[in-house]
Amino acid sequence: MRDLKRFLANNTLALAGTIVLAILLLAVLIGPFLLPSPLAIDMAAKLQPPSFSHWLGTDNFGRDMLSRVLEGGRYTLAIGVLVVAFAFVVGVFFGLVAGFAGGIVDTVIMRVVDAILSFPALVLAIALAAAFGPSLQNAMIAVAITLAPQFARVARAQALGVSSRLYVEAAHALGLPRGRILTRYILVNAIGPLLVQASLAFGSAILQTSALGFLGLGAQPPMPEWGADVSANLSFVRSSPWTALGPGFAILITVLSFNLIGDSLADWFNPRRRSAA
Amino acid sequence: MFAFLVRRLLALIPVLLLVLVIVFSLVRLIPGDPAVTLLGPGATRDQIIALRAQLDLDQPALFQFWSYFIGLLHGDMGHSLKSGQPVLNEILIRLPATLEISINAVLIAIVVGIPIGVVSATRANSGFDHSVRVISLTGVSMPAFLLALLLQLVFAIWLGWLPVSGRISPYFFVDRVTGFSIIDAWLSGEPGAVSSAIAHMVLPTTVLAVFLAATLGRFVRSTMLEVMDEDFVRTARAKGLSRHDVVYRHALRNSLLPAITVIGLKFAEMLGGAILTETIFSWPGIGRYMYEAIRNRDYPVIQGATLVFALMFMLTSLIVDILYAVLDPRVRRKMS
């Protein structure tokens, strides 16, 4: 906790990101109780510009854009957490196993990792989501698959580094089971860089899932997901730009906040960059 | 050098095979019977059987992969379900459009990103440095479709300075010779065609370049700062070299090498961004082709485009590795 305080005190940008995220979290938790339903259609009030009664205007069904953006925020934050958690668990598992087992297991796992990383991440996510069928859940799985290899690489490198340490050899000599050594000794000591990777992955997870939503491969209407909302309002952008810009800027602000924190964390954990910065 | 090349190419084979397996599996990942899903609810039994045969779905998986692989060796990526044309031909027609904006974007990103990184590093922790950091983090956090939309709104719709979408104004009759619009416009000899082609390219290229320039600027800044701490820079300073010589002849040269790797890696991410950018600007490249294929559930096209994107990425990494070896005397010596 004291480390966290010191980190935030020394990193204005990370502090700014944390504050914005906190406000966002509060808004998406409380907002929907105070606003009209994001699905409530009111054709009499369609495509209205931002005003006191509709802060972000309304879309072509007269739905309140602020309600939609806040409800979409619930999805987006949940998407970020779930996608990163899934990628983390899968990637770290295979990375640790590869680094710990070595030999043919290592070779096979790492070649698969190389192959997945040979695709531009968004292209692979699009292709997988298109194959699984368009839905938010499938889009999230597709994005997690493209993010997992990065965790695998970091976890493997850490496992290789830690495996040769004396305390791990001691644990082996004591006859501890391999699974226990892997979780209690290797994972615990590799967690720092993995957390940095995770904080940086949030931004990518949200960006990519919203891109899939934009392309029609993620959340389906009328679900108020940000990327899908930008795309649904594209045809009104000339006359009513707020319909697409509201959810679009919501993505930017959220991803930027995560990246401000992730970037500062990466500096914090890297002494060379810290002294340089 | 030759041995290095051979080793690098050999190492590529298993990865390439796995890439092919992934692309091949895409159609097989479709839940249920792919042929039924592809043809939609109105399909007759005969149509389903015919499509199964066309996609080899009635054969064992290993045979399917083998015939897919042999087909690829003959340049056969299957046929588009929508147009019936060979996928490879359709991709080759669209490739120049994608290359045109992505290569221009890389050049712009290098010209803008590297100097920004250098200046940030030489004035680390100044106001300039902090604002560059925030701007470039904004650049990498920006969804490509939002930036595209903003530029389109401001410069094309509100200010009217640049065209909204497309590749060249419909008033010009430009024959397709090379597929690159500026070259074709120039060859057509029509006055004004070249500037129309360039004007159409500005916005989509900018969207792609912003992301790369932001990443590159940040990377050059941090490597520059690391290099400035090294012994040889201290020696150069101690020798009494001017600040200019230390920064540009010693530090910069050594920071640029790792930047090549970043350019290569980010080029691939940029290709992903091309799908969104081309869709918004109606730019007739592979990205938009893939988008249309998603809309039409045209799986052979999705497969083909995915494979081409992956091959372009692998080729870029290969070129980057070779360039690295050619440019860095330490790597070169280690290899020979």
Side-chain angles (χ1 to χ4, degrees):
Chain A
M1 200 61 204
R2 204 183 323 138
D3 269 1
L4 183 72
K5 255 191 206 155
R6 207 156 48 104
F7 168 69
L8 288 177
N10 282 315
N11 286 277
T12 328
L13 292 179
L15 184 66
T18 314
I19 292 174
V20 173
L21 276 184
I23 295 174
L24 192 77
L25 193 65
L26 215 63
V28 306
L29 287 180
I30 299 172
F33 293 110
L34 308 173
L35 292 163
S37 155
L39 303 177
I41 294 176
D42 177 7
M43 292 311 270
K46 74 173 197 174
L47 294 176
Q48 293 201 344
S51 64
F52 190 70
S53 49
H54 299 288
W55 289 12
L56 293 181
T58 60
D59 69 3
N60 71 317
F61 293 109
R63 297 178 295 200
D64 180 54
M65 282 314 295
L66 182 62
S67 303
R68 290 190 67 78
V69 166
L70 289 184
E71 185 72 15
R74 291 184 163 193
Y75 287 107
T76 301
L77 293 179
I79 288 168
V81 172
L82 290 174
V83 168
V84 172
F86 183 78
F88 186 95
V89 171
V90 174
V92 169
F93 173 77
F94 282 108
L96 287 183
V97 169
F100 192 60
I104 183 81
V105 178
D106 183 27
T107 311
V108 170
I109 292 178
M110 292 325 284
R111 284 301 84 74
V112 173
V113 163
D114 288 345
I116 296 178
L117 290 175
S118 298
F119 293 90
L122 184 59
V123 172
L124 183 62
I126 288 173
L128 288 172
F132 296 152
S135 79
L136 180 57
Q137 188 192 335
N138 288 344
M140 286 164 64
I141 296 174
V143 173
I145 292 175
T146 64
L147 288 178
Q150 298 171 5
F151 287 104
R153 276 203 175 164
V154 177
R156 173 178 177 269
Q158 294 298 318
L160 283 179
V162 177
S163 299
S164 53
R165 296 279 174 80
L166 218 52
Y167 58 82
V168 174
E169 276 178 33
H172 274 298
L174 282 171
L176 287 185
R178 297 177 119 202
R180 182 112 177 259
I181 298 178
L182 208 55
T183 50
R184 293 287 296 276
Y185 292 81
I186 296 186
L187 179 59
V188 168
N189 284 289
I191 205 78
L194 285 170
L195 286 183
V196 171
Q197 183 70 38
S199 68
L200 290 170
F202 269 104
S204 317
I206 294 174
L207 271 184
Q208 286 197 34
T209 319
S210 70
L212 293 182
F214 177 82
L215 292 170
L217 289 169
Q220 298 297 306
M223 190 190 262
E225 193 269 328
W226 290 343
D229 262 9
V230 173
S231 145
N233 293 316
L234 268 188
S235 20
F236 313 106
V237 110
R238 279 179 187 231
S239 54
S240 323
W242 58 87
T243 51
L245 295 185
F249 274 103
I251 303 172
L252 170 62
I253 292 169
T254 312
V255 175
L256 181 59
S257 308
F258 275 117
N259 281 344
L260 285 172
I261 300 172
D263 192 63
S264 310
L265 270 182
D267 273 358
W268 190 253
F269 275 98
N270 182 349
R272 277 185 85 169
R273 270 181 77 180
R274 201 185 333 175
S275 70
Chain B
M1 187 71 207
F2 181 72
F4 164 77
L5 258 181
V6 172
R7 244 197 342 258
R8 183 69 178 69
L9 286 173
L10 282 180
L12 214 56
I13 292 176
V15 177
L16 183 62
L17 265 179
L18 281 168
V19 164
L20 289 181
V21 171
I22 293 175
V23 173
F24 162 81
S25 312
L26 284 175
V27 172
R28 280 81 197 163
L29 286 173
I30 302 174
D33 183 339
V36 176
T37 315
L38 291 178
L39 288 169
T44 64
R45 206 182 131 71
D46 290 344
Q47 281 177 312
I48 294 173
I49 293 173
L51 185 64
R52 267 197 209 133
Q54 191 198 324
L55 297 176
D56 282 331
L57 291 173
D58 46 2
Q59 306 285 340
L62 211 59
F63 176 86
Q64 289 180 31
F65 181 71
W66 178 248
S67 81
Y68 174 72
F69 181 66
I70 295 295
L72 282 181
L73 290 183
H74 290 89
D76 177 11
M77 290 186 168
H79 288 70
S80 160
L81 298 175
K82 181 97 198 307
S83 67
Q85 297 296 312
V87 173
L88 184 64
N89 288 4
E90 297 213 316
I91 286 179
L92 287 179
I93 290 174
R94 289 163 175 85
L95 189 61
T98 298
L99 286 180
E100 199 164 40
I101 49 172
S102 24
I103 291 173
N104 285 336
V106 171
L107 296 178
I108 293 174
I110 291 174
V111 171
V112 176
I114 292 180
I116 285 182
V118 173
V119 176
S120 289
T122 50
R123 297 185 193 165
N125 293 322
S126 65
F128 177 84
D129 183 31
H130 288 309
S131 23
V132 164
R133 187 168 176 203
V134 174
I135 294 173
S136 55
L137 271 175
T138 310
V140 291
S141 308
M142 177 86 89
F145 52 83
L146 177 65
L147 182 60
L149 212 56
L150 279 177
L151 293 178
Q152 204 177 39
L153 267 177
V154 175
F155 294 101
I157 296 173
W158 292 340
L159 296 174
W161 292 352
L162 292 163
V164 176
S165 61
R167 249 184 130 188
I168 194 163
S169 158
Y171 300 117
F172 298 108
F173 295 97
V174 173
D175 290 327
R176 185 195 163 90
V177 185
T178 59
F180 292 92
S181 63
I182 296 180
I183 301 176
D184 285 357
W186 180 67
L187 290 175
S188 77
E190 285 206 52
V194 174
S195 54
S196 169
I198 294 177
H200 278 82
M201 209 176 288
V202 173
L203 293 182
T205 309
T206 309
V207 174
L208 296 181
V210 162
F211 172 74
L212 189 60
T215 322
L216 196 57
R218 292 175 45 64
F219 184 80
V220 169
R221 172 190 182 271
S222 66
T223 36
M224 274 286 277
L225 286 175
E226 282 181 15
V227 169
M228 299 279 260
D229 258 1
E230 298 223 11
D231 288 344
F232 69 87
V233 172
R234 205 166 307 135
T235 311
R237 281 212 188 108
K239 277 197 308 189
L241 287 186
S242 70
R243 189 177 156 72
H244 178 274
D245 275 5
V246 173
V247 172
Y248 293 95
R249 298 200 38 194
H250 291 254
L252 180 60
R253 282 178 70 167
N254 284 286
S255 321
L256 285 186
L257 270 175
I260 295 176
T261 314
V262 171
I263 296 173
L265 282 175
K266 293 296 159 182
F267 178 72
E269 277 184 45
M270 202 176 75
L271 291 176
I275 299 176
L276 303 165
T277 312
E278 290 181 2
T279 304
I280 290 192
F281 289 107
S282 305
W283 189 260
I286 313 177
R288 181 157 160 249
Y289 184 49
M290 192 163 174
Y291 172 73
E292 285 163 1
I294 295 167
R295 295 261 129 170
N296 299 322
R297 315 203 55 150
D298 195 343
Y299 285 92
V301 173
I302 297 178
Q303 272 183 311
T306 307
L307 181 60
V308 169
F309 276 125
L311 291 179
M312 274 162 60
F313 185 20
M314 293 171 85
L315 188 68
T316 317
S317 334
L318 183 69
I319 294 173
V320 163
D321 278 7
I322 295 172
L323 260 182
Y324 210 105
V326 171
L327 293 178
D328 191 336
R330 285 167 302 188
V331 181
R332 206 165 42 212
R333 213 165 300 135
K334 222 183 272 171
M335 279 175 334
S336 56

